[in-house]
């Protein structure tokens, strides 16, 4: 049987061979994507969308859109759409100050007594050997009615090689199991885990509705679950604020861990312990770089943002807050950033004060400034509201808190998958996020804390791995991060989180933000035209959340109607009852977007709502 290599739907084989050969020649160990740079072509923005597009592409007839991004989402021109992704790593800007590492010795008869650890005091470095120590080494290391954003310059992105993958196309490369060596294994001894992809040419009839430098149709192929059918319809996943779907690279990485690396970490001298430790600590370094933390010692693995906030409340809060002290939160908070502080306030006689929001859902900075005083010890707030999508002015809030002498905790559960986060720039004392909100596994998350602050804080839980020495009279704890990682942690899913971060870094958080912002504006304009629909949360600076109610229907009725068309959205109070009640509501329908959503997804959503309103 012969294959017609001249078929227009197939890529040119000679071109594929040349590009693949070049790819492998330049990457002897194929451990990461090389940055061979190509420039995306740039077109001038369209002055006006033709009327013919408005009915076919789902663009609001009343919306005036004067500028569109440069790159068409369709694949009609494959050379134009090659190389759409940039690693965009967050560069490390600092070296962990390890000149003074201190553990704490706790007298069990008097737990409040804390003595310097003579093993670390003044030693000037973290011990190099991990075997048996459990110590992680330190690295040295709006106006949307007027226009959509458009590309004004050429965007430099790494070129990607073309190849094949079983029953799967459009897949981004995946980093090798460990690019770092913490144990006794040489870096080149582990099996390479890089994959290459084939770009598929495909027409998308409504792809002209939004043009950006990001191709969601192409990326969507990396997510196996998005090929599912629900009620006979293609799954449209618009419940991303609740959890994001996982790319094949993350799924394969976790599988690889259990097939080739599974072991407990840090405390053995055998091969699999070395592999597992390197994979786990490699994931910690990936998180450090992703957040631009100074040191891996500032990255603590936990189950998720909820556990991270509880850890701070039960450890730092229990240790340092006293009766009469005040904690400030915003009206936008998820229950996870309210309840732990309420519990602590009841126990210790603290006062909780709330930053109000305006009718668009924006925090009122002037009112926040009035709340700050000498009794304020902590300001704990979200970077992006899970119920409204509001992006808070985090840097300003943190700076004002520090001027008042307070510490800050920033909840990044809803921000890390949409916005670039730089904890050194923000200067927050604590930062938390959940892995499953950033295309990683469930049951894994991160607490970032400034290293000196973490080392001055007593652990919340006790057990193995987090101790240096135990007798029946006293216990010595390791420095951070290990002092907060008692027992066997979620090793495999930490590794999976590292793979998810690799994936996001390959796409480039700037490209993700640009695309999602354009899609958000597109969806907002269409939803506004639906009779009886009320958008809840209309702040000019928003991430990809579209809460609404529909007159004449309960939110559950709307959710069920959408589900019949294969559309998954969240209905309910979204664990954020105070902010919904601020708008006189007990619940909303909440579609929420990610970079694998498309204009077609929005069109189906809007069409279904129109039909529901019309009684079809």
């Amino acid at each position: 049987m012969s294959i017609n290599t001249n078929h227009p739907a197939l890529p040119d084989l000679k071109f594929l061979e040349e590009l693949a050969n070049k790819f492998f020649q330049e990457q002897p160990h194929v451990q990461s994507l090389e940055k061979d740079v190509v420039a995306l072509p740039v077109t001038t923005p369209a002055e006006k969308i033709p009327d013919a597009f408005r009915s076919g592409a789902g663009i609001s007839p009343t919306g005036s859109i004067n500028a569109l991004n440069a790159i068409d989402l369709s694949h009609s021109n494959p050379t134009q759409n090659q190389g759409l992704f940039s690693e965009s790593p967050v560069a490390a800007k600092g070296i962990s100050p390890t000149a003074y590492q201190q553990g704490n010795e706790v007298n069990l008869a008097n737990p409040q007594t804390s003595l310097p650890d003579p093993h670390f005091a003044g030693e000037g470095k973290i011990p190099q050997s991990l075997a048996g120590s459990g110590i992680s080494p330190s690295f040295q290391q709006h106006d949307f009615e007027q226009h959509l954003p458009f590309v004004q310059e050429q965007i430099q992105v790494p070129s990607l090689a073309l190849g094949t993958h079983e029953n799967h196309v459009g897949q981004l490369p995946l980093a090798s199991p460990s690019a770092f060596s913490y144990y006794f294994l040489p870096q080149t001894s582990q099996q390479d885990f890089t994959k290459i992809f084939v770009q598929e040419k495909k027409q998308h009839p409504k792809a002209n509705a939004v043009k950006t430098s990001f191709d969601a149709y192409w990326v969507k192929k990396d997510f196996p679950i998005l090929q599912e059918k629900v009620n006979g319809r293609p799954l449209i996943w618009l419940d991303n604020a609740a959890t994001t779907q996982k790319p094949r690279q993350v799924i394969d990485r976790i599988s690889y861990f259990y097939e080739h690396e599974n072991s407990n970490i840090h405390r053995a001298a055998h091969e699999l312990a070395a592999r597992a430790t390197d994979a786990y600590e490699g994931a910690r370094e990936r998180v450090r770089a992703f957040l631009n933390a100074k040191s891996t010692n500032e990255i603590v693995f936990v189950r998720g943002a909820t556990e991270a906030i509880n850890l701070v409340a039960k450890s730092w809060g229990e240790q340092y807050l006293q009766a009469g002290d005040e904690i400030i939160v915003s009206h936008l908070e998820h229950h996870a950033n309210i309840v732990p502080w309420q519990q602590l306030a009841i126990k210790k006689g603290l006062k909780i004060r709330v930053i109000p929001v305006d009718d668009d859902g924006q925090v009122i900075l002037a009112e926040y400034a009035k709340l700050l005083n000498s009794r304020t010890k902590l300001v704990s707030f979200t970077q992006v509201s899970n119920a409204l999508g509001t992006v808070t002015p985090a840097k300003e809030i943190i700076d004002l808190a520090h001027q008042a002498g307070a510490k800050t905790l920033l909840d990044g559960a809803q921000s890390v998958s949409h916005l670039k986060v730089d904890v050194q720039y923000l200067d927050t004392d604590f930062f938390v996020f959940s892995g499953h909100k950033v295309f990683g596994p469930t049951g894994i998350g991160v607490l970032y804390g400034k290293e000196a602050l973490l080392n001055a804080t007593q652990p919340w839980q006790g057990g193995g791995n987090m101790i240096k020495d135990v007798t029946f009279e006293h216990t010595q704890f390791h420095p951070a991060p290990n002092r907060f990682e008692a027992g066997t942690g979620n090793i495999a899913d930490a590794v999976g989180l590292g793979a998810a971060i690799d994936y996001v870094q390959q796409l480039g958080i700037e490209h993700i933000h640009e695309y999602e912002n354009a899609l958000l504006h597109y969806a907002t304009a269409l939803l506004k035209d639906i009779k009886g629909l009320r958008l809840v949360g209309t702040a000019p600076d928003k991430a990809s959340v579209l809460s609404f109610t529909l007159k004449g229907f309960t939110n559950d009725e709307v959710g069920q109607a959408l589900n019949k068309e294969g559309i998954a959205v969240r209905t309910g109070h979204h664990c954020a009852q105070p902010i919904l009640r601020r708008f006189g509501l007990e619940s909303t329908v909440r579609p929420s977007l990610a970079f694998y959503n498309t204009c077609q997804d929005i069109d189906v959503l809007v069409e279904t709502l129109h039909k529901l309103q019309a009684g079809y």
Side-chain angles (χ1 to χ4, degrees):
M1 177 179 177
S2 61
I3 298 176
N4 179 9
T5 58
N6 295 319
H7 193 283
L10 292 175
D12 182 77
L13 294 181
K14 184 176 180 181
F15 171 71
L16 293 182
E17 183 179 356
E18 290 175 357
L19 196 53
N21 287 337
K22 181 181 177 182
F23 175 76
F24 286 111
Q25 287 169 3
E26 293 180 357
Q27 302 184 50
H29 300 300
V30 204
Q31 289 212 355
S32 62
L33 191 66
E34 293 290 342
K35 302 183 185 67
D36 296 330
V37 176
V38 296
L40 292 178
V42 175
T43 59
T44 57
E47 288 298 319
K48 182 179 179 182
I49 296 178
D51 290 339
F53 282 152
R54 295 187 178 276
S55 59
I59 296 178
S60 166
T62 60
S64 175
I65 304 176
N66 298 321
L68 295 175
N69 283 327
I71 309 301
D72 194 337
L73 290 181
S74 74
H75 293 301
S76 57
N77 185 353
T79 59
Q80 183 182 12
N81 286 338
Q82 284 180 8
L84 295 178
F85 308 106
S86 130
E87 278 189 338
S88 183
V90 181
K93 297 180 181 178
I95 298 174
S96 169
T98 57
Y100 183 80
Q101 295 289 338
Q102 178 176 313
N104 287 332
E105 180 175 349
V106 179
N107 188 327
L108 295 183
N110 183 7
Q112 298 301 318
T113 303
S114 182
L115 300 175
D117 183 348
H119 183 71
F120 283 91
E123 185 180 29
K125 64 179 181 179
I126 299 291
Q128 294 182 358
S129 173
L130 279 177
S133 72
I135 297 176
S136 168
S138 177
F139 260 71
Q140 294 184 11
Q141 320 270 84
H142 298 317
D143 185 0
F144 63 82
E145 292 187 346
Q146 293 300 314
H147 65 273
L148 297 178
F150 62 92
V151 178
Q152 302 185 42
E153 300 178 336
Q154 289 187 333
I155 300 172
Q156 300 296 315
V157 298
S159 63
L160 303 179
L162 297 179
T164 60
H165 183 261
E166 270 185 32
N167 302 319
H168 186 62
V169 291
Q171 188 176 56
L172 276 174
L174 176 65
S176 58
S178 177
F180 315 99
S181 183
Y182 297 87
Y183 228 108
F184 52 76
L185 295 183
Q187 290 188 358
T188 58
S189 68
Q190 299 189 50
Q191 176 182 331
D192 173 74
F193 213 62
T194 302
K195 292 189 170 57
I196 53 181
F197 67 90
V198 169
Q199 180 170 341
E200 179 188 40
K201 291 190 288 185
K202 188 173 182 180
Q203 296 290 334
H204 299 286
K206 296 186 178 181
N208 287 325
V210 169
K211 296 182 180 180
T212 74
S213 58
F214 190 90
D215 191 336
Y217 290 99
W218 189 82
V219 173
K220 203 166 191 173
K221 300 175 188 300
D222 279 342
F223 292 80
I225 201 169
L226 298 182
Q227 315 307 315
E228 284 288 307
K229 295 289 183 69
V230 173
N231 294 321
R233 311 279 184 159
L235 171 64
I236 297 176
W237 186 257
L238 295 176
D239 195 16
N240 295 288
T243 196
T244 54
Q245 298 301 343
K246 320 309 171 193
R248 171 64 65 189
Q249 290 86 334
V250 172
I251 298 168
D252 287 350
R253 185 64 189 91
I254 296 171
S255 177
Y256 181 92
F257 177 86
Y258 281 121
E259 290 175 355
H260 301 285
E261 300 166 326
N262 184 44
S263 169
N264 215 321
I265 55 174
H266 295 155
R267 298 186 295 274
H270 57 74
E271 176 82 6
L272 293 190
R275 294 182 190 177
T277 299
D278 284 358
Y280 184 76
E281 296 299 342
R284 198 190 304 274
E285 163 58 18
R286 285 171 167 84
V287 175
R288 183 212 63 76
F290 186 54
L291 300 181
N292 193 30
K294 288 182 179 180
S295 167
T296 51
N297 295 335
E298 298 179 321
I299 304 301
V300 179
F301 284 124
V302 290
R303 287 188 303 157
T306 297
E307 181 169 272
I309 295 170
N310 277 273
L311 189 158
V312 175
K314 302 295 185 183
S315 57
W316 179 86
E318 288 272 8
Q319 185 175 350
Y320 289 104
L321 299 184
Q322 306 297 328
D325 288 344
E326 295 181 359
I327 298 171
I328 294 178
V329 299
S330 84
H331 214 140
L332 296 168
E333 301 312 312
H334 188 281
H335 295 167
N337 202 24
I338 299 173
V339 177
W341 307 120
Q342 283 184 340
Q343 292 175 321
L344 189 63
I346 293 170
K347 182 176 182 178
K348 304 203 72 172
L350 312 176
K351 183 175 182 180
I352 295 177
R353 310 189 76 182
V354 181
I355 309 171
V357 300
D358 62 20
D359 290 340
D360 289 324
Q362 301 176 102
V363 296
I364 305 174
L365 280 175
E367 295 301 316
Y368 163 60
K370 294 176 184 178
L371 297 177
L372 292 165
N373 61 71
S374 61
R375 296 182 300 277
T376 307
K377 301 304 179 186
L378 178 70
V379 178
S380 186
F381 68 103
T382 186
Q383 191 170 17
V384 173
S385 165
N386 76 304
L388 307 185
T390 303
V391 178
T392 61
K395 179 62 174 171
E396 292 90 336
I397 293 174
I398 291 166
D399 288 346
L400 287 171
H402 286 165
Q403 291 172 25
K407 302 297 184 186
T408 60
L409 185 151
L410 184 58
D411 178 359
Q414 295 293 335
S415 64
V416 288
S417 63
H418 306 293
L419 310 172
K420 181 178 179 179
V421 174
D422 185 332
V423 292
Q424 292 191 68
Y425 166 75
L426 291 169
D427 196 29
T428 186
D429 299 287
F430 299 105
F431 181 86
V432 305
F433 74 91
S434 298
H436 73 101
K437 300 291 179 70
V438 65
F439 315 100
T442 56
I444 190 68
V446 169
L447 166 66
Y448 157 84
K450 291 180 178 177
E451 188 169 359
L453 185 57
L454 290 177
N455 282 329
T457 300
Q458 295 294 333
W460 173 27
Q461 296 176 317
N465 195 47
M466 46 83 73
I467 52 88
K468 287 183 58 199
D469 186 72
V470 173
T471 70
F472 287 110
E473 291 73 37
H474 67 89
T475 298
Q476 287 181 312
F477 301 121
H478 280 308
N482 299 79
R483 69 196 294 116
F484 298 108
E485 294 183 6
T488 298
N490 192 351
I491 303 168
D493 288 335
V495 174
L497 174 58
I501 287 173
D502 283 345
Y503 187 88
V504 171
Q505 295 283 57
Q506 290 285 350
L507 295 180
I509 195 69
E510 294 88 354
H511 298 318
I512 290 171
H513 176 70
E514 175 196 45
Y515 172 73
E516 290 180 347
N517 191 51
L519 193 62
L520 177 67
H521 293 332
Y522 174 74
T524 299
L526 292 181
L527 289 172
K528 278 186 170 182
D529 281 348
I530 297 175
K531 183 180 178 181
L533 188 143
R534 174 194 176 189
L535 281 170
V536 183
T538 54
D541 194 2
K542 280 186 61 175
S544 302
V545 171
L546 294 156
S547 279
F548 68 84
T549 59
L550 189 62
K551 188 176 182 180
F553 299 90
T554 68
N555 294 321
D556 284 346
E557 287 172 341
V558 175
Q560 290 163 11
L562 294 174
N563 181 63
K564 290 179 181 178
E565 300 301 317
I567 304 170
V569 299
R570 183 70 40 167
T571 63
H573 56 59
H574 319 304
C575 297
Q577 289 174 300
I579 188 58
L580 291 186
R581 287 170 179 164
R582 160 67 176 79
F583 290 93
L585 300 168
E586 287 297 321
S587 69
T588 64
V589 181
R590 186 191 67 183
S592 49
L593 309 174
F595 55 69
Y596 43 61
N597 292 125
T598 65
C599 289
Q600 280 186 306
D601 295 343
I602 301 303
D603 292 338
V604 177
L605 168 72
V606 171
E607 182 181 2
T608 303
L609 293 173
H610 275 301
K611 288 181 178 178
L612 182 63
Q613 191 65 277
Y616 293 154

